[in-house]
Amino acid sequence: MSDHVLVLEGLRVSVAGTEVLRGVDLTVRSGEVHALMGPNGSGKSTLAHVLMGKGGYEVTAGAVTLDGADLLAMGTWERAAAGLFLAMQQPVEVPGVGLAQVLEATGRDTSNLAGEAQDLGLDGAIIDRSLNVDLSGGEKKRSETLQLAMLRPSIAVLDEVDTGLDVDGLRLVAGRLRRAVEEWGMGVLAITHFRRLLSVLRPDAVHVLLGGRVVESGGAELAEKLEQSGYEVYAGAAGT
Amino acid sequence: MRERRARAWERFAVAPMPGQKDEAWRYSRVGDLDLGSFAPAVLAPRAEEHADLVSAARDLARSLGPCRALAVTVPGGVIAVELPGGTGEQLRVAGSRSAEDLPVGLGSIAGLSGIFGELHDAFLGEVLTISVPPGTVLDAPVVVVNIAGTPPGKDDLGRLASFPRTFVELGAGASATVVEVALDAAEGVIIETPQGRATTLRASGEGQHMRTATPGASSTSSASLVVPVTELDVGERARLSYVSVQALGRESWQIATQASRVATGGEIISYSAGLGGLYARVSTLCSLDGEGARSTLLAAYLGTGEQVHDFETVQDHRAPSSASELVFDGAVADRARSAYNGLIRIRRGAHGADAFQTNHNLVLSEGAHADSIPNLQIEENDVRCSHASTVGPVDEEQRFYLESRGVEPAEAERLVVAGFFREAARRAPLSGVGRWVEEEMAARLEAGRRVTGGG
């Protein structure tokens, strides 16, 4: 088992002058699965984007380190090279650029690409087709998972990797992700609305993000509780 | 014929030169064109003097795949028509100079007007007619290589202007693919192969294994002016794939018209690649005349250096349930410019018409510029129309996506741009052409970057 760690300390982020994250602390280690849940607009996707270095966000305070290195000082591709992966909620279409081509551009061995694709129920033709073009929502998520499986990140942020998937797709994707945790000790920060993904991923911790802050953390049972009670119980907890 | 030319000359003499105030020429470079510096080819060309060009054209055609017929033109007329796919009654490819041989419909599709239309008619030397009789299905394309400018060794002729004219007619139910390639004689290249020298007209000349056939030629003397007109007459239920590749030299001028008319139940797929030219204008005019007529109009273009590519399109719906789809995608780098001006016209009576138009422009350098102007003119209810155009740099989201997988920023940009060209090039209805255009674009972009030190 490898020993990697992603640490967020007091992370505050603004978008166009409005503070979206108001001091987030999280630590994700190799082999750990953390679920991040919360209502729409709570800042989950902002967090995912900021971790990967997407433009348009301003970090106003706090720090993020990956294995002790200052993640926020790195360019996006350097974060990926350092072992971080973001499975995107809405993977963008890149016409004329194939999945195999991208993996080759990162210098990865692509010899088992076809086999990995098959394990995720993807047609082998996806390897050379334009990235995310003419793919269904579910196929896009399988493609994200396929890229994760090939890149073997030390820490993976999954931004609603379960949306758009049908029951079979969810089973294959969640199963592959869980195997990644076991195979190479991948650490996971999974943003999700649904417990179905978590029942396979088996989170070590569940965090509730509300109003840009983690308002509660607990074990897997917290996800179950949220599904029954919703987020209303936290009304007022987020503050301003 | 002589009379026709004389009348055109009279009209040309009084026609005003378009200026930038003229909307259709607003983004052109036509003000810099010195018509007086070009000479038309006066005499009909002698085929035996151009054996090397014919041989090179043959190589080019072969590189694109199987070929049903090959025609080669130089300024002044047709120098070769070959039918490697066999002769027979079902296909006629021939040049005609006399009025009685001209195809009946000549001029009825392009409807030439304005100074360049008159100029074309005034100097029209020979018309190449490609005639596919009703019901005939050609198994391989007809390739036309139009060689512009002054051939090597003929410098005494001056800077030659040429006025290629192609007329394609498909009878009812016929099916054919026609490829036209525009090249400059002076840009002809010699490929050095381990087996020896092979002459070719592949117009790149930028790979290190190639060198220009006329190394001494200055850029000025290699400049040419081409005013080509192609008319495409698609009969009932006929299906025509038309491919045009413009790979002229970087100093040359082109003002081209590609006009088509599609009868009831007929279909045209046209694809135009714009690679060369100092200033290259293409007017793509498609008239859907019969019920259920369909057109797919595609173009891919790349400008580098100081090039200007200027496109005018008209999707003219004249009949019910006619459908057109237009996708023009291009890029500008360095200080190049491009302009796209497209009209969807739905005439009264063309109910149930479906028209789609999209123009995407990648702007790859700060000094480059692209304009995109879509227009709609709709005179009928119960129609579907949509248009979309974009002008901008490499998409930030696409770049972010690739970088998030660990691809370095410069490589991510290169992949996105190459992908854009691959998609645009490969829409060509002939895979050999798609591959050629894709390679050509990659080479030209790379060469431009080496020169400017950018990228």
Side-chain angles (χ1 to χ4, degrees):
Chain A
M1 275 289 172
S2 45
D3 192 17
H4 298 282
V5 59
L6 175 74
V7 180
L8 287 70
E9 283 178 314
L11 184 66
R12 301 181 86 98
V13 174
S14 291
V15 181
T18 303
E19 190 164 59
V20 179
L21 296 182
R22 301 175 185 177
V24 175
D25 299 287
L26 274 175
T27 300
V28 180
R29 296 174 193 281
S30 287
E32 291 180 357
V33 176
H34 293 251
L36 187 67
M37 305 182 81
N40 295 326
S42 59
K44 304 187 299 297
S45 283
T46 295
L47 181 64
H49 290 158
V50 166
L51 290 177
M52 207 67 229
K54 192 175 186 186
Y57 300 91
E58 191 196 350
V59 176
T60 53
V64 182
T65 58
L66 178 60
D67 300 337
D70 180 3
L71 195 75
L72 300 176
M74 299 181 199
T76 294
W77 76 276
E78 293 168 314
R79 300 179 194 205
L84 188 68
F85 182 89
L86 169 62
M88 302 209 191
Q89 188 183 141
Q90 287 166 326
V92 67
E93 295 183 359
V94 192
V97 180
L99 198 150
Q101 225 184 333
V102 171
L103 294 172
E104 278 156 19
T106 66
R108 297 307 159 117
D109 172 21
T110 55
S111 52
N112 60 338
L113 185 52
E116 285 281 2
Q118 202 175 9
D119 286 352
L120 284 160
L122 281 167
D123 190 303
I126 193 167
I127 292 165
D128 295 311
R129 277 173 60 180
S130 294
L131 278 168
N132 303 317
V133 175
D134 294 332
L135 294 190
S136 71
E139 284 171 321
K140 285 180 187 170
K141 298 306 169 77
R142 293 180 202 223
S143 165
E144 291 292 282
T145 308
L146 172 59
Q147 293 172 63
L148 175 148
M150 296 303 297
L151 292 169
R152 299 173 69 91
S154 50
I155 305 285
V157 179
L158 313 172
D159 191 1
E160 298 194 15
V161 76
D162 47 355
T163 53
L165 285 167
D166 56 21
V167 178
D168 291 334
L170 183 66
R171 184 174 46 79
L172 291 172
V173 164
R176 185 66 192 93
L177 293 169
R178 182 63 220 177
R179 280 211 313 284
V181 174
E182 281 149 19
E183 273 172 38
W184 66 85
M186 182 174 79
V188 174
L189 179 61
I191 295 167
T192 181
H193 287 296
F194 306 107
R195 212 160 46 88
R196 275 186 314 183
L197 175 74
L198 300 181
S199 67
V200 181
L201 269 186
R202 303 204 301 275
D204 302 287
V206 175
H207 311 278
V208 180
L209 189 71
L210 200 73
R213 284 196 190 108
V214 174
V215 293
E216 188 177 1
S217 294
E221 73 289 345
L222 181 53
E224 207 171 323
K225 184 183 124 193
L226 287 170
E227 195 153 79
Q228 284 158 13
S229 63
Y231 299 103
E232 278 180 18
V233 292
Y234 300 104
T240 46
Chain B
M1 190 83 162
R2 186 178 298 157
E3 200 186 318
R4 180 194 182 106
R5 283 199 287 261
R7 282 201 310 272
W9 177 254
E10 283 165 17
R11 290 192 300 268
F12 165 73
V14 296
M17 193 73 176
Q20 296 197 327
K21 284 183 189 154
D22 193 339
E23 183 59 32
W25 296 86
R26 194 166 139 203
Y27 299 97
S28 80
R29 175 177 266 169
V30 76
D32 299 338
L33 173 61
D34 179 11
L35 271 179
S37 71
F38 294 94
V42 179
L43 301 172
R46 288 212 300 253
E48 62 273 19
E49 289 183 8
H50 298 292
D52 53 337
L53 291 181
V54 174
S55 150
R58 220 176 272 140
D59 289 345
L60 172 65
R62 205 172 289 140
S63 76
L64 301 178
C67 173
R68 183 64 180 75
L70 170 69
V72 186
T73 77
V74 295
V78 181
I79 51 169
V81 172
E82 296 176 354
L83 293 155
T87 51
E89 294 165 337
Q90 79 262 50
L91 169 68
R92 198 174 78 88
V93 181
S96 37
R97 291 188 165 274
S98 58
E100 57 267 29
D101 288 344
L102 293 180
V104 178
L106 189 74
S108 66
I109 301 171
L112 295 179
S113 62
I115 191 165
F116 293 104
E118 308 301 359
L119 186 66
H120 175 93
D121 260 1
F123 290 106
L124 181 59
E126 189 166 8
V127 177
L128 179 73
T129 303
I130 298 165
S131 188
V132 187
T136 300
V137 175
L138 297 187
D139 54 355
V142 176
V143 177
V144 180
V145 179
N146 293 311
I147 300 167
T150 313
K154 303 260 178 198
D155 294 343
D156 54 316
L157 295 175
R159 298 166 71 180
L160 281 184
S162 58
F163 305 90
R165 183 67 170 264
T166 307
F167 189 86
V168 179
E169 51 189 359
L170 265 62
S175 172
T177 298
V178 174
V179 180
E180 281 198 288
V181 181
L183 297 166
D184 263 313
E187 292 275 314
V189 294
I190 295 170
I191 293 184
E192 306 278 357
T193 67
Q195 289 77 36
R197 271 161 45 126
T199 309
T200 180
L201 278 166
R202 278 205 50 164
S204 155
E206 280 152 353
Q208 55 182 193
H209 59 299
M210 300 180 186
R211 61 184 176 83
T212 60
T214 51
S218 75
S219 58
T220 326
S221 74
S222 68
S224 62
L225 168 66
V226 199
V227 187
V229 175
T230 295
E231 291 180 275
L232 309 164
D233 193 1
V234 183
E236 291 186 8
R237 293 170 282 98
R239 187 173 195 277
L240 174 65
S241 294
Y242 173 73
V243 176
S244 149
V245 180
Q246 182 272 102
L248 295 166
R250 293 180 155 276
E251 302 295 328
S252 293
W253 295 75
Q254 177 197 255
I255 291 135
T257 303
Q258 295 168 357
S260 55
R261 176 171 63 203
V262 187
T264 303
E267 180 177 12
I268 184 169
I269 299 168
S270 96
Y271 172 87
S272 172
L275 299 169
L278 177 65
Y279 172 71
R281 178 183 175 92
V282 182
S283 296
T284 303
L285 316 170
C286 180
S287 174
L288 299 170
D289 275 21
E291 185 162 354
R294 307 175 68 85
S295 71
T296 305
L297 310 173
L298 310 166
Y301 48 95
L302 167 65
T304 61
E306 306 282 342
Q307 289 184 286
V308 177
H309 288 127
D310 186 359
F311 296 93
E312 176 193 22
T313 69
V314 179
Q315 295 154 267
D316 190 357
H317 289 252
R318 294 164 167 265
S321 306
S322 48
S324 68
E325 180 179 356
L326 180 146
V327 183
F328 274 41
D329 283 353
V332 280
D334 308 328
R335 290 161 311 283
R337 285 191 287 135
S338 71
Y340 170 82
N341 199 320
L343 172 68
I344 293 176
R345 181 164 188 199
I346 313 271
R347 298 196 189 231
R348 193 156 298 155
H351 49 83
D354 191 342
F356 174 75
Q357 179 195 86
T358 160
N359 172 230
H360 296 297
N361 296 280
L362 263 186
V363 180
L364 300 173
S365 316
E366 276 193 16
H369 185 79
D371 288 290
S372 182
I373 304 153
N375 299 290
L376 296 173
Q377 187 180 341
I378 298 169
E379 297 157 13
E380 181 60 79
N381 300 316
D382 177 33
V383 299
R384 291 206 309 165
C385 256
S386 64
H387 59 86
S389 68
T390 57
V391 175
V394 167
D395 185 69
E396 219 26 72
E397 297 273 339
Q398 293 177 344
R399 197 209 305 255
F400 174 69
Y401 186 80
L402 296 189
E403 285 185 34
S404 80
R405 304 297 129 113
V407 182
E408 290 183 39
E411 178 66 5
E413 171 149 340
R414 199 194 65 76
L415 281 174
V416 172
V417 172
F420 179 81
F421 288 136
R422 180 170 303 125
E423 286 292 297
R426 295 211 168 171
R427 289 193 193 107
L430 203 61
S431 61
V433 170
R435 279 195 301 274
W436 178 32
V437 172
E438 184 190 342
E439 284 167 20
E440 204 56 57
M441 285 182 160
R444 281 165 191 260
L445 195 62
E446 201 55 46
R449 295 200 161 178
R450 275 203 307 275
V451 171
T452 58

